[in-house]
Amino acid sequence: MGKGFMIVCDGSNGAGKTTVIKAIEEHLKSRGLQAVITREPGGTPIGEKIRDILLCPDTPEMCDVAELMLFGAARAQHVQEKILPAIRAGKVVVSDRFDAATLSFQHYARGLDIGLVKQINELALDGFRPDMNIILDLDPVLGLERVHQRGERLDRMETQKLEFLQKARQGYLEQARLSPSMFSILDASRPLAEVVSDALGVVDELIRRHGGQMAVGTP
Ligand code: Z5A
């Protein structure tokens, strides 16, 4: 059995993660690779229940530490139940958000101590690291406009002040500055086709790096 790898698609709200991930999935399949598409918070039955609690707009009273630990709990379950088995089976895991989001939102935006946030991330990751974070970078003002155009009710995180979302954006840029080999920053204010094309270029580079170790065919 080959060894797979993991790509995270992350970044600002409304930056186009959903669309880019769909394109990555199709691209991987066209290359004959087995893709596992997943998301955070969520990705497992337990994680999806935690997601409902985290994003429910009716509970704005959630305290910051409870929020951090819930993201961590969902991730621990995600890693053990879904991600590690898929990678061991040689599949390519593509996750909509992952651990960089916790540093960006709970540390850089929320202001929780960086040591505490890293500790929760390490506990949840159990030594695992994703191979690449593709960050779709967008001014949150533009991102929220796109989300509003979808006409859906905003979730608990989206109702935070604009300043909070600006700090989270800067958090991703700072993480990329500190660990450039783990991050690809894409300007998501450009036409979607250009963003998708760049994202697929990053994926192709990862496939080359992992040359021939992944499982092929339908899951
Ligand atoms: N969070 C956290 O705090 N800590 C953590 O550890 C984790 C997460 C893991 C849930 O995320 C929230 O949890 C999130 C971070 C926090 N909240 N905040 N704030 P989520 O991923 O479920 O929610 P989201 O970020 O709000 O996702 P989204 O709004 O669905 O964004 P998206 O998937 O990137 O956008 P999209 O649906 O692909 O695109 C939005 C619209 O824009 C859509 O109509 C597109 O057609 C359009 N679009 C996309 N790209 C373009 C371009 N390039 N041009 C024009 N129009 C475009």
Side-chain angles (χ1 to χ4, degrees):
M1 200 80 73
K3 188 180 175 301
F5 62 89
M6 178 166 172
I7 304 164
V8 179
C9 193
D10 208 328
S12 312
N13 299 67
K17 291 180 284 103
T18 311
T19 321
V20 168
I21 288 172
K22 190 88 209 110
I24 293 177
E25 179 181 21
E26 280 161 17
H27 187 67
L28 290 169
K29 285 186 178 157
S30 75
R31 305 272 314 246
L33 300 172
Q34 293 184 17
V36 173
I37 307 300
T38 189
R39 67 173 179 180
E40 286 216 354
T44 65
I46 290 171
E48 291 295 325
K49 286 185 180 169
I50 297 174
R51 179 184 179 92
D52 289 344
I53 298 171
L54 275 164
L55 300 187
C56 177
D58 302 331
T59 46
E61 70 275 22
M62 183 181 294
C63 76
D64 296 351
V65 173
E67 180 183 272
L68 171 67
M69 291 170 79
L70 285 169
F71 278 116
R75 180 160 312 125
Q77 188 65 31
H78 196 197
V79 168
Q80 298 301 328
E81 181 181 336
K82 192 166 182 181
I83 296 172
L84 290 180
I87 295 216
R88 285 190 197 113
K91 298 178 183 175
V92 182
V93 178
V94 184
S95 184
D96 186 334
R97 299 199 187 276
F98 202 57
D99 62 321
T102 316
L103 267 175
S104 283
F105 284 91
Q106 278 63 55
H107 165 61
Y108 287 99
R110 198 66 94 195
L112 282 174
D113 176 69
I114 191 163
L116 184 64
V117 175
K118 283 187 171 172
Q119 227 179 327
I120 292 291
N121 266 351
E122 277 164 22
L123 195 60
L125 292 173
D126 195 21
F128 173 75
R129 285 279 176 284
D131 294 81
M132 179 57 70
N133 294 277
I134 297 176
I135 305 297
L136 304 188
D137 178 52
L138 185 68
D139 185 333
V141 175
L142 283 176
L144 281 179
E145 264 172 31
R146 291 180 186 174
V147 172
H148 279 298
Q149 276 165 12
R150 275 196 316 222
E152 292 165 10
R153 189 179 174 198
L154 294 184
D155 67 41
R156 192 180 62 83
M157 302 299 292
E158 286 164 341
T159 58
Q160 304 291 319
K161 291 200 174 74
L162 199 55
E163 187 195 355
F164 174 86
L165 300 175
Q166 300 279 18
K167 285 183 183 167
R169 178 192 190 192
Q170 292 308 318
Y172 286 111
L173 298 177
E174 180 63 6
Q175 289 183 74
R177 193 183 67 76
L178 294 173
S179 308
S181 63
M182 297 273 301
F183 289 83
S184 287
I185 303 281
L186 305 186
D187 174 2
S189 68
R190 295 172 299 155
L192 200 44
E194 284 180 31
V195 182
V196 165
S197 165
D198 283 0
L200 297 186
V202 175
V203 172
D204 281 338
E205 174 54 29
L206 282 165
I207 295 173
R208 262 194 296 279
R209 252 192 250 168
H210 285 79
Q213 293 185 70
M214 293 83 68
V216 290
T218 46

